[in-house]
Amino acid sequence: MDSGYGDGLQGECLRKPDQTQPKLYGVGDPTATFSSDSSCLSSRGRVIKWFWDSAEEGYRTYHMDEYDEDKNPSGIINLGTSENKLCFDLLSWRLTQGDMLHVEPSLLQYPDWRGHLFLREEVAKFLSFYCKSPAPLKPENVVVLNGCASLFSALA
């Protein structure tokens, strides 16, 4: 059955066909890359989809031509993903230790939205030491989130 809400099920779009897309200066023409399944999106939805598709295309292109100092020195360097590869050896060593096999039930539940207290205490000590803060940071003033998307969501 046809819902008519633009769900991509061969439905009829409720949008008026003569509506035009907003002009985006400096970012190309998003209307040129829209797929037919986005015809029932709002103008704002189409712009968001265009940016999403562009980012996905860039990420695929990067993976097909990744930079390597020896094997591919003219490859693409990804500046859009933050990875701290400098500590991979430390993490992999730590994750192979016997005490890593024990998981406390509290670690599998939603903690305080700011993060587990033990982690905030360690982050406060770490930042106080390495950032040379004039006074030790207090764990109650530290918030630990799992990435920038979560950070921006909390700020919003």
Side-chain angles (χ1 to χ4, degrees), residues 58-130:
Y59 198 66
R60 280 191 301 275
T61 303
Y62 157 71
H63 276 293
M64 293 186 316
D65 190 23
E66 288 185 50
Y67 169 83
D68 183 276
E69 186 175 357
D70 300 321
K71 299 175 188 169
N72 191 13
S74 62
I76 298 171
I77 298 174
N78 179 6
L79 298 177
T81 304
S82 174
E83 293 179 332
N84 190 350
K85 294 182 179 181
L86 298 176
C87 66
F88 280 179
D89 58 336
L90 299 172
L91 289 173
S92 53
W93 174 83
R94 180 64 182 109
L95 292 173
T96 60
Q97 302 305 303
D99 63 339
M100 292 302 295
L101 299 175
H102 175 74
V103 177
E104 296 178 25
S106 65
L107 295 175
L108 302 174
Q109 300 167 358
Y110 287 106
D112 180 342
W113 72 271
R114 298 171 298 170
H116 285 287
L117 180 59
F118 75 88
L119 180 57
R120 291 187 287 125
E121 289 170 346
E122 291 302 318
V123 169
K125 283 191 250 178
F126 178 87
L127 291 175
S128 294
F129 179 79
Y130 285 102

Side-chain angles (χ1 to χ4, degrees), residues 7-73:
D7 54 10
L9 300 174
Q10 304 297 326
E12 188 174 314
C13 186
L14 298 177
R15 305 189 91 240
K16 296 176 185 171
D18 59 343
Q19 286 180 316
T20 59
Q21 293 298 309
K23 180 67 177 160
L24 296 176
Y25 298 98
V27 294
D29 181 12
T31 59
T33 59
F34 286 151
S35 59
S36 61
D37 65 337
S38 68
S39 63
C40 292
L41 291 175
S42 67
S43 59
R44 188 172 82 179
R46 288 186 208 196
V47 170
I48 291 169
K49 183 179 182 329
W50 179 78
F51 279 108
W52 177 267
D53 291 346
S54 296
E56 287 293 312
E57 181 183 345
Y59 198 66
R60 280 191 301 275
T61 303
Y62 157 71
H63 276 293
M64 293 186 316
D65 190 23
E66 288 185 50
Y67 169 83
D68 183 276
E69 186 175 357
D70 300 321
K71 299 175 188 169
N72 191 13

